[in-house]
Amino acid sequence: MFVGEKLIYLQMQKTASTHIARILADVVGGEQHQQHLRLEIDPEGRSVVGSIRSPWSWYVSLWAYGCRGGGGRWGIRNLLTQPPPTALDTAREALRYARAKRAFPREVLDEHQRLREHQRGTPVELWRPVYSDPTDAGAFRQWLRLVLDPTRARDLHPRFGASDLRHHAGFMTFRYFRLLARDLDDLDRPGQFTSFDAIREYDATSTVHDDMIRIEHLAEDLPRVLTGAGYELDDDQTARLREWCGARTNVSPHEDDAFYYDDETRALVADRERLLVDKYSYAPPLVPGADPGATPADA
């Protein structure tokens, strides 16, 4: 979460959030809090914004990042492919913590308990083979079918597995709501998401954001968001903003999005991420060999 004088930016994973926060820090100033936090402070009149990207691109980025070992202990790849910590693992890490910090290792004990609860029953043997070469389109498609299978929602997050949302939307929509929902307990409240129309209504009435930055349209959306928040940019700020929006940082080394999809998986994402596809006007990546005059989703 990035907090500025007139704006609060909530950072969704794999939506160029580090890059956008750096732009905001340089152009309008502010303070970087822990990344990917929900809104935990009073906005006090500040505009609350987030960032989004094409769901087809988001899934490729999330998978390729996992294939390269990214994400740390709480990264989705490790949660899916590593067994939960044993009692011996906890004892060893707690001892190291106590020796280094000279304090009771409550932080270690709590984290390991959360990991055990999260990973309980996760079939790691099912997930390990699909995290391989980040240029293997076949492995990606296998992974995507698992991620978008409602019966596997519990593997991805206990709250997703307990929510009716899993029957009508995919993991990206869950991540979107988990960051932006006013009340986190709504996500697994029985009867909350009985249809796609209920999901669309929830997005309109029960989320905290005032605006959204599409990373494919950064040069267009970010100035609009800043102006809407009340910033009046001078010539120097405008020039720096233009320069930043033309740069790319933390670019994931993988193939173009279209390389990974076939007709089935393109349609699967379109169906499961219908809320985001419709709301933010996304289209699937251009099929290899298709008419180059067509307009694909921005990469």
Side-chain angles (χ1 to χ4, degrees):
M1 182 170 67
F2 182 88
V3 180
E5 180 186 0
K6 299 180 180 181
L7 173 147
I8 296 176
Y9 170 49
L10 301 179
Q11 297 170 275
M12 182 174 168
Q13 295 95 331
K14 312 313 294 176
T15 63
S17 62
T18 300
H19 182 59
I20 293 171
R22 287 171 180 164
I23 297 174
L24 294 173
D26 180 60
V27 175
V28 298
E31 180 181 5
Q32 176 69 60
H33 295 214
Q34 183 179 335
Q35 278 192 317
H36 315 313
L37 283 179
R38 288 169 42 77
L39 184 64
E40 297 181 344
I41 62 175
D42 186 343
E44 298 180 335
R46 286 171 290 202
S47 180
V48 178
V49 304
S51 53
I52 197 74
R53 77 189 293 175
S54 161
W56 289 274
S57 178
W58 188 83
Y59 279 111
V60 170
S61 180
L62 183 67
W63 172 78
Y65 187 60
C67 287
R68 299 193 309 276
R73 189 64 183 90
W74 283 94
I76 188 69
R77 183 252 176 89
N78 283 332
L79 289 173
L80 293 172
T81 64
Q82 302 300 316
T86 65
L88 183 58
D89 293 332
T90 301
R92 286 172 174 166
E93 190 163 333
L95 182 59
R96 285 195 295 269
Y97 180 99
R99 285 174 173 170
K101 304 281 189 179
R102 297 185 180 276
F104 185 74
R106 173 57 58 191
E107 182 178 340
V108 172
L109 300 179
D110 289 347
E111 180 181 74
H112 280 214
Q113 181 59 29
R114 291 198 305 273
L115 283 167
R116 279 189 283 270
E117 291 173 358
H118 192 139
Q119 296 178 276
R120 185 180 297 122
T122 299
V124 297
E125 69 284 351
L126 184 68
W127 290 98
R128 279 178 180 162
V130 298
Y131 280 104
S132 54
D133 179 356
T135 64
D136 185 342
F140 168 76
R141 292 168 191 167
Q142 287 181 282
W143 173 87
L144 186 67
R145 293 185 193 99
L146 289 172
V147 167
L148 295 178
D149 180 351
T151 66
R152 299 261 60 91
R154 174 63 179 77
D155 299 350
L156 300 168
H157 196 284
R159 185 155 249 154
F160 190 29
S163 174
D164 292 333
L165 182 67
R166 73 189 187 278
H167 298 302
H168 309 286
F171 186 53
M172 185 179 182
T173 297
F174 170 75
R175 280 270 183 95
Y176 172 87
F177 279 153
R178 189 166 184 267
L179 180 67
L180 301 173
R182 294 185 191 281
D183 183 353
L184 197 57
D185 290 336
D186 280 347
L187 294 187
D188 53 10
R189 184 171 289 124
Q192 180 68 262
F193 302 107
T194 56
S195 66
F196 176 72
D197 286 341
I199 293 172
R200 188 162 48 195
E201 176 67 15
Y202 183 83
D203 181 48
T205 62
S206 302
T207 50
V208 299
H209 61 295
D210 302 303
D211 210 338
M212 192 65 64
I213 302 162
R214 298 164 299 168
I215 69 170
E216 301 89 350
H217 301 280
L218 189 61
E220 172 189 347
D221 285 0
L222 190 49
R224 173 182 54 77
V225 162
L226 290 174
T227 300
Y231 289 100
E232 296 181 5
L233 304 181
D234 60 28
D235 290 345
D236 179 60
Q237 289 173 304
T238 300
R240 294 207 309 276
L241 181 59
R242 188 181 302 114
E243 181 180 355
W244 270 107
C245 288
R248 300 182 70 191
T249 60
N250 295 334
V251 179
S252 300
H254 55 69
E255 304 294 330
D256 290 340
D257 295 338
F259 170 82
Y260 295 96
Y261 286 94
D262 56 13
D263 290 342
E264 177 199 354
T265 49
R266 272 191 297 272
L268 184 60
V269 172
D271 176 58
R272 297 288 285 161
E273 302 301 345
R274 180 181 168 191
L275 174 74
L276 305 179
V277 168
D278 289 355
K279 182 174 182 179
Y280 298 108
S281 302
Y282 282 116
L286 188 65
V287 180
D291 178 5
T295 303
D298 294 301

